[in-house]
Amino acid sequence: MIKFSKVLFALLAIVLILSISVLVVLAVKLPENDAKGTQQEEVVVKQTAKTKAKVQEKKAYYQISNEERELLARLVHCEASVCGTQCKYDVISVVFNRLEAGKWGDSLEDVIYYKNAFTPVLEGKLEKTTPTKADYAAVDYVVKNGPTLPTYVRYFRTDYDFGWEGYENYKVVDNVYFGYFEDWERGAW
């Protein structure tokens, strides 16, 4: 029994010595690893700063004036004030899609004031409305990032589908129907 205890004690002593040796080796290597880790962290921080600078340098998808921003915010407020953010993006995208199509005019003002194009214009509500921060934010988002709808989606209507011949629904958001004509050549009415 004494012999077994001595062997067990010797094994425990060896394990203890090995454990201490491993800790010493790790302690010696830790500062080196720590320095490398710090250098790596600095590189990551520098890369992150460069990435942020590139993002800030990115130009907006559309370039518009303050007056055009105001006009779009008023229109989206009139057309989608009770709708969610995505619907507002989509309404604004329809306006830009019409501008790019060229059939409604050469400026945002031309597109918005095109004959019978938007109900708030027909009813004289556009100039009387006051946009919210959410309306401006929606305009700013689309101006910065581009349209949220394909370029061929150029129509929307609340509550029901147009039912026009050749007209196709693209999607419905917050009870607003967005659509297009199968024949792309059809456009402004």
Side-chain angles (χ1 to χ4, degrees):
M1 179 103 169
I2 295 177
K3 196 174 186 183
F4 178 74
S5 296
K6 286 183 181 179
V7 170
L8 184 62
F9 180 75
L11 284 173
L12 286 174
I14 292 172
V15 168
L16 182 64
I17 291 171
L18 287 173
S19 298
I20 292 173
S21 299
V22 167
L23 288 174
V24 168
V25 168
L26 286 176
V28 168
K29 289 192 173 188
L30 276 178
E32 179 182 308
N33 287 342
D34 197 30
K36 284 182 182 177
T38 303
Q39 288 174 352
Q40 289 173 349
E41 288 172 15
E42 287 176 16
V43 170
V44 169
V45 169
K46 287 178 184 175
Q47 287 176 342
T48 304
K50 286 180 183 178
T51 304
K52 285 181 182 177
K54 285 182 182 178
V55 168
Q56 289 173 351
E57 290 174 10
K58 182 184 173 189
K59 293 189 178 183
Y61 192 89
Y62 298 110
Q63 301 296 318
I64 65 171
S65 68
N66 288 335
E67 293 79 16
E68 290 170 322
R69 180 178 183 255
E70 179 70 24
L71 194 57
L72 283 167
R74 286 175 184 267
L75 181 68
V76 79
H77 183 78
C78 288
E79 294 283 9
S81 63
V82 296
C83 298
T85 304
Q86 184 61 52
C87 186
K88 290 179 186 223
Y89 294 163
D90 292 346
V91 166
I92 297 161
S93 295
V94 164
V95 176
F96 280 110
N97 288 351
R98 287 183 179 187
L99 178 63
E100 289 181 12
K103 294 183 179 187
W104 288 266
D106 297 329
S107 70
L108 287 172
E109 186 175 354
D110 289 347
V111 170
I112 291 170
Y113 286 102
Y114 192 86
K115 184 180 179 185
N116 300 323
F118 295 102
T119 304
V121 174
L122 291 171
E123 296 175 350
K125 293 180 180 178
L126 193 66
E127 289 78 19
K128 298 175 186 173
T129 191
T130 303
T132 65
K133 288 181 182 180
D135 299 325
Y136 288 111
V139 170
D140 294 343
Y141 178 86
V142 174
V143 166
K144 179 180 178 187
N145 298 298
T148 56
L149 294 171
T151 57
Y152 59 85
V153 178
R154 300 178 190 147
Y155 301 90
F156 67 87
R157 179 150 196 153
T158 56
D159 299 328
Y160 64 93
D161 178 10
F162 284 107
W164 295 334
E165 184 181 335
Y167 176 82
E168 296 290 328
N169 278 327
Y170 177 73
K171 71 177 181 177
V172 180
V173 181
D174 298 333
N175 209 31
V176 176
Y177 292 75
F178 295 88
Y180 61 95
F181 282 99
E182 287 180 359
D183 176 8
W184 285 30
E185 294 303 312
R186 267 188 95 172
W189 43 100

